[in-house]
Amino acid sequence: MSPSPDRREELLATAAEVFAAQGYNATTVRKIADAAGMLAGSLYYHFDSKESMLDEILSTFLDDLWARYDAVLAAGLGPRETIEALVTESFREIDRHRAAVAIYQKESKHLRTQPRFGYLTESQQKFEKAWLGTLERGVADRVFRADLDVRLTYRFVRDTVWVAASWYRPEGQHSPEEIARQYLSMVLEGIALRA
């Protein structure tokens, strides 16, 4: 009898929370099993290692993110609308994969050096190309200011959005879409009153 997909998802969600809270290196299979309410040996019925669990957590998050980003990028939207859609999808991903986003932020630099996680470097390069390309198109199309430093803007927006995984809670006061609207208003319109 093979493990049920639902139980596997529950275990991955538990592992993601433990990895996010304690860090990958500090997390043992025993800690994950304890959090899941099972014996450490029983976890091996579902996964061959903690590395396998981490790989599945991160690859699932990135596959989901890229399915949504690719749809936005293929939609033929203008630069501003593309940025708006990418920010909104980013907050939706934080809502769906908050722990995976936190793990990615803390661990990806180290994990990229391991062959198993080479896809993290590819994803980062693709991510940067999508955002920078959209910002550059916005400057060229005169949708964004000509004096805009696109690389600095990309880093600001990226960091401002993705750090939200550290405080966002799905049961919180605002939906991902509401948070995205507020962030976009601040980024695209500023916070000062206009005269």
Side-chain angles (χ1 to χ4, degrees), residues 171-192:
E171 67 282 353
Q173 182 178 350
H174 302 291
S175 72
E177 294 79 11
E178 290 169 323
I179 296 170
R181 277 194 296 276
Q182 286 291 323
Y183 268 60
L184 285 162
S185 172
M186 288 182 277
V187 168
L188 296 172
E189 310 298 335
I191 61 170

Side-chain angles (χ1 to χ4, degrees), residues 34-77:
D34 288 349
M38 63 193 307
L39 297 172
S42 300
L43 205 51
Y44 289 108
Y45 178 64
H46 302 274
F47 305 97
D48 63 5
S49 66
K50 75 173 189 172
E51 184 181 56
S52 294
M53 287 183 270
L54 182 63
D55 186 10
E56 195 166 334
I57 290 163
L58 292 175
S59 62
T60 298
F61 155 59
L62 290 172
D63 287 348
D64 193 23
L65 174 72
W66 280 108
R68 294 166 195 285
Y69 270 22
D70 286 342
V72 168
L73 297 169
L77 302 171

